């Protein structure tokens, strides 16, 4: 089960679905308010708990036993939160480009939401993704731009305010994270400094974590560096399904 990031869609994980296709059944879906999924009308419908409930429904509909769950950025936050609430349902966890745990990231989300309301989605996109207030590398901005305008502006605003601006801090989660014992893969591009900091801290808090740093890649690491990302993902998946294989705790790929 792979969950895309804010402003993305299920399409973002197609390269990984193809790479894993011979080894596992891969499920992708559009998060609420994105692409083909419905956009509820109440702001409270876009809280993290609702995103977690959506993932739980997708897992339940698959009708299988414990599974690997993962995601990128907002999707990684969703996957981790689902795991904390349902540890018995998760056999492995993949967290790519985990969102930054910093006040400036929360402030950016609130200002971005205001800009969408006041200036329109296109103008806000130019400022907060592509322009002077963008927090992404040029490659990530390009990927985000491709599908951003197909989403409900109201949903984007609500997600920014109800989830991304109020994400739990690592200090809040520290005790819970030490109890996540399923194998965990953390993947981050070395040009995504905020997520490098977040992923490195998670790697220390999660008991069975492995950190993979992809060289010359930014925030949308699975698309910016598909080949090394897939290599790391397949090696890790092989290691957790075939415990006799060895795999280092920290990996650097180019």
């Amino acid at each position: 089960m792979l969950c895309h990031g804010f402003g993305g869609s299920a399409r973002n994980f197609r390269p990984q679905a193809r790479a894993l296709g011979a080894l596992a059944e891969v499920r992708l879906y559009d998060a609420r308010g994105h692409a083909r999924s419905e956009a509820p009308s109440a702001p409270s419908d876009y809280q993290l708990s609702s995103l977690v409930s959506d993932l739980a429904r997708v897992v339940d509909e698959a009708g299988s036993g414990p599974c690997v769950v993962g995601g990128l950025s907002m999707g990684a936050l969703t996957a981790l939160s689902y795991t904390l609430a349902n540890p018995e349902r998760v056999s492995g966890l993949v967290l790519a480009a985990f969102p930054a745990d910093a006040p400036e990231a929360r402030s950016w989300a609130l200002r971005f939401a205001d800009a969408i309301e006041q200036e329109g989605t296109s103008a806000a996109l130019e400022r907060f993704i592509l322009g002077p207030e963008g927090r992404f590398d040029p490659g990530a901005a390009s990927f985000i731009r491709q599908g951003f305008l197909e989403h409900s502006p109201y949903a984007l605003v609500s997600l920014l305010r109800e989830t991304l601006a109020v994400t739990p801090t690592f200090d809040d989660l520290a005790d819970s994270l030490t109890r996540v014992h399923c194998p965990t893969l953390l993947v981050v591009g070395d040009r995504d400094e905020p997520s490098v900091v977040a992923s490195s801290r998670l790697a220390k808090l999660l008991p069975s974590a492995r950190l993979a740093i992809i060289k010359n890649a930014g925030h949308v690491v699975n698309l910016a560096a598909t080949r090394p990302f897939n290599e790391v993902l397949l090696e890790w998946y092989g290691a957790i399904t075939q415990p006799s294989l060895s795999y280092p705790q920290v990996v650097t790929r180019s």
Side-chain angles (χ1 to χ4, degrees), residues 7-215:
S9 73
R11 293 190 296 269
N12 296 158
F13 272 115
R14 283 179 179 171
Q16 287 67 54
R18 288 193 291 268
L20 287 165
L23 303 175
E25 178 184 355
V26 181
R27 296 289 180 98
L28 309 175
Y29 67 99
D30 296 325
R32 60 176 55 207
H34 289 73
R36 299 161 297 179
S37 288
E38 295 180 356
S41 59
S44 59
D45 289 330
Y46 294 91
Q47 294 176 356
L48 181 57
S49 58
S50 295
L51 301 180
V52 172
S53 295
D54 291 341
L55 175 55
R57 186 169 68 253
V58 175
V59 173
D60 291 342
E61 289 174 354
S64 60
C67 63
V68 174
V69 299
L72 181 134
S73 195
M74 184 184 79
L77 177 63
T78 302
L80 176 59
S81 300
Y82 173 82
T83 302
L84 293 174
N86 305 276
E88 74 286 352
R89 303 298 308 276
V90 180
S91 60
L93 182 59
V94 179
L95 305 176
F98 200 86
D101 173 24
E104 54 267 29
R106 298 179 180 86
S107 172
W108 174 88
L110 291 173
R111 289 184 288 108
F112 192 4
D114 291 344
I116 292 174
E117 285 186 333
Q118 297 166 14
E119 303 169 23
T121 305
S122 295
L125 174 67
E126 294 298 324
R127 267 184 61 193
F128 285 85
I129 300 296
L130 308 173
E133 298 200 58
R135 298 176 55 250
F136 304 103
D137 57 284
S142 176
F143 287 124
I144 293 170
R145 183 180 194 175
Q146 289 175 13
F148 199 83
L149 297 180
E150 71 177 322
H151 312 312
S152 159
Y154 177 82
L156 296 175
V157 167
S158 297
L159 283 164
L160 286 164
R161 289 177 177 159
E162 300 294 329
T163 290
L164 297 180
V166 292
T167 54
T169 68
F170 290 149
D171 289 339
D172 295 333
L173 295 174
D175 289 341
S176 298
L177 292 172
T178 60
R179 296 193 290 272
V180 176
H181 292 287
C182 66
T184 301
L185 174 65
L186 294 151
V187 190
V188 64
D190 67 347
R191 294 179 177 175
D192 183 11
E193 184 176 350
S195 291
V196 169
V197 173
S199 299
S200 299
R201 185 163 184 197
L202 276 176
K204 295 177 181 178
L205 292 169
L206 292 164
S208 300
R210 290 167 176 173
L211 174 62
I213 301 173
I214 308 296
K215 290 185 177 180

